[in-house]
Amino acid sequence: EAIVTSEELGQDLEHVEVLQKKFEEFQTDLAAHEERVNEVNQFAGKLIQEQHPEEELIKSKQDEVNASWQRLKGLALQRQGKLFGAAEVQRFNRDVDETISWIKEKGQLMASDDFGRDLASVQALLRKHEGLERDLAALEDKVKALCAEADRLQQCHPINASQIQVKREELIANWEQIRTLAAERHARLNDSYRLQRFLADFRDLTSWVTEMKALINADELANDVAGAEALLDRHQEHKGEIDAHEDSFKSADESGQALLAAGHYASDEVKEKLTILSDERTALLELWELRRQQYEQCMDLQLFYRDTEQVDNWMSKQEAFLLNEDLGDSLDSVEALLKKHEDFEKSLSAQEEKIT
């Protein structure tokens, strides 16, 4: 009877399970004694049937034994129910404690102040965080199930209702906290991603500008017309490449302006980079225009040199014609020489127009 009237229900699930195991051993022993009780009843019945002189005493003892037996079985049933209820409550406590422990473990990860140092590291952190968020989404069902279990246990075990409610509130508080942490960290990682994306575009564009400046400055001025024409063609190709990057400059500027408009934590750095990017683009266009003027001047100079050389060569040839002392020795030869001279004067007029 001391076993079934014990109020010890265990401090945790493991303790309750030990008590349940001991109680199961007691129930096995109890079941074994039921046959002994039946034998006592049969023997008492036989004595009464034989009209034993102590019949009244025998009936009294039989009733006493049966009453004690029923009371013991009733107490055993109650004890079994209490241990079962204690096991339910302690199992709930354990599940809540394990869930809270998992939440706190993930909470430490989400409390990290590492938001990435470059685009690759931010993308890796975002993938990791999205994995944590998937874990949280899966955990939400468990949290809901534990809250529903808390409601049921409070109904079934009103004596433990207050303790169960405290545990339930602790679970909800931790759950709400980690959801807030997750949302805040996701927002910070997105801010970091947008910044690193902008900075990566900034570095790509400024690096490209440096390379393009070097390319534009690389060519020496030409020494002939063909070279000057090739320079102008190549320079125009550079302009085509510059124009092709206009969308990239526009996109980077829009990204930076969006960060400023959102009050990003790195607004000062973004503003500085936007100014540098604008200045670099302007400097590149100015350099291209300067070199275009130089190449066109070079072209004009080489055309002048070519035309001058052509005129010099023509004049050298014509000078030999003029120095010729042959004035003809007949009418036909004189007329022929006059015809050549007229042709020379026409050619001279044509060359004069070119020279002037």
Side-chain angles (χ1 to χ4, degrees):
E1 191 169 317
I3 295 176
V4 294
T5 57
S6 172
E7 293 297 326
E8 186 180 18
L9 295 175
Q11 302 300 315
D12 52 38
L13 183 59
E14 289 74 14
H15 192 188
V16 175
E17 288 174 345
V18 169
L19 292 175
Q20 283 182 315
K21 184 170 179 58
K22 288 182 178 179
F23 186 73
E24 286 172 3
E25 293 172 355
F26 163 77
Q27 285 182 309
T28 301
D29 189 46
L30 188 66
H33 279 78
E34 187 166 14
E35 183 62 30
R36 178 63 179 153
V37 173
N38 290 336
E39 289 175 357
V40 168
N41 281 320
Q42 288 174 4
F43 188 57
K46 180 181 177 184
L47 291 175
I48 293 169
Q49 188 176 8
E50 293 175 351
Q51 298 181 346
H52 194 280
E54 298 294 334
E55 181 178 344
E56 291 302 323
L57 180 59
I58 292 170
K59 284 184 178 180
S60 175
K61 288 294 183 181
Q62 183 184 21
D63 291 342
E64 185 180 338
V65 169
N66 285 330
S68 295
W69 178 250
Q70 292 303 320
R71 180 174 180 275
L72 186 61
K73 289 178 68 176
L75 289 171
L77 195 60
Q78 290 178 19
R79 176 69 176 162
Q80 184 180 34
K82 287 180 180 179
L83 286 173
F84 178 77
E88 281 194 316
V89 172
Q90 292 299 343
R91 189 172 292 108
F92 166 77
N93 289 339
R94 183 199 62 184
D95 290 346
V96 169
D97 288 341
E98 288 180 350
T99 303
I100 290 175
S101 177
W102 185 92
I103 288 174
K104 288 182 176 178
E105 179 187 338
K106 301 304 179 184
Q108 290 178 349
L109 295 175
M110 293 187 183
S112 170
D113 58 358
D114 181 11
F115 299 105
R117 300 168 304 283
D118 51 40
L119 189 59
S121 61
V122 174
Q123 288 174 324
L125 287 172
L126 267 172
R127 286 192 296 271
K128 184 177 180 180
H129 186 75
E130 286 166 357
L132 288 174
E133 287 184 321
R134 285 192 293 272
D135 291 342
L136 284 183
L139 185 67
E140 185 173 9
D141 291 338
K142 185 174 183 179
V143 172
K144 289 179 179 178
L146 285 172
C147 287
E149 178 68 0
D151 293 338
R152 186 187 72 81
L153 291 174
Q154 285 177 300
Q155 296 269 338
C156 297
H157 310 291
I159 193 171
N160 300 110
S162 59
Q163 180 266 324
I164 294 170
Q165 182 61 21
V166 169
K167 215 68 178 169
R168 183 179 190 274
E169 290 173 356
E170 183 183 0
L171 173 64
I172 292 174
N174 278 274
W175 173 246
E176 293 298 334
Q177 182 181 22
I178 198 170
R179 287 181 64 188
T180 300
L181 276 175
E184 290 175 351
R185 180 159 178 77
H186 203 155
R188 287 296 302 273
L189 284 172
N190 279 334
D191 285 345
S192 181
Y193 173 79
R194 291 165 61 206
L195 173 64
Q196 295 301 334
R197 176 76 271 173
F198 167 75
L199 293 177
D201 290 343
F202 167 81
R203 286 190 293 271
D204 289 345
L205 286 171
T206 51
S207 176
W208 174 80
V209 167
T210 300
E211 292 174 2
M212 186 56 64
K213 284 180 177 179
L215 202 59
I216 290 173
N217 280 320
D219 290 324
E220 298 290 337
L221 295 179
N223 295 317
D224 54 41
V225 173
E229 287 177 343
L231 278 178
L232 280 171
D233 289 343
R234 191 154 54 248
H235 195 59
Q236 196 59 43
E237 290 175 1
H238 294 334
K239 186 59 166 63
E241 188 173 351
I242 292 172
D243 291 342
H245 277 75
E246 276 301 301
D247 287 344
S248 297
F249 278 100
K250 183 180 178 182
S251 177
D253 184 71
E254 289 175 350
S255 297
Q257 295 299 339
L259 290 172
L260 295 179
H264 195 278
Y265 62 85
S267 290
D268 290 343
E269 181 183 5
V270 172
K271 192 179 298 184
E272 178 188 357
K273 293 293 191 287
L274 283 174
T275 300
I276 292 173
L277 200 58
S278 177
D279 292 345
E280 286 291 308
R281 176 180 172 277
T282 300
L284 176 63
L285 291 173
E286 289 176 348
L287 174 62
W288 185 88
E289 179 59 24
L290 174 64
R291 293 295 279 176
R292 183 192 65 78
Q293 293 175 6
Q294 290 175 344
Y295 291 152
E296 287 189 350
Q297 289 172 353
C298 176
M299 182 67 174
D300 292 341
L301 180 63
Q302 293 305 323
L303 286 172
F304 170 74
Y305 284 158
R306 185 194 65 182
D307 291 347
T308 300
E309 184 179 358
Q310 289 176 348
V311 170
D312 282 344
N313 290 336
W314 180 84
M315 287 191 295
S316 295
K317 292 179 181 178
Q318 299 309 316
E319 186 175 350
F321 171 75
L322 292 174
L323 291 176
N324 188 352
E325 294 183 358
D326 182 13
L327 298 177
D329 52 5
S330 65
L331 180 61
D332 289 341
S333 62
V334 171
E335 287 177 347
L337 288 173
L338 281 172
K339 180 69 173 63
K340 286 183 179 181
H341 194 75
E342 288 174 358
D343 292 341
F344 162 75
E345 287 180 334
K346 290 178 181 179
S347 177
L348 182 62
S349 297
Q351 291 295 330
E352 185 175 8
E353 289 179 4
K354 183 183 291 187
I355 295 171
T356 56

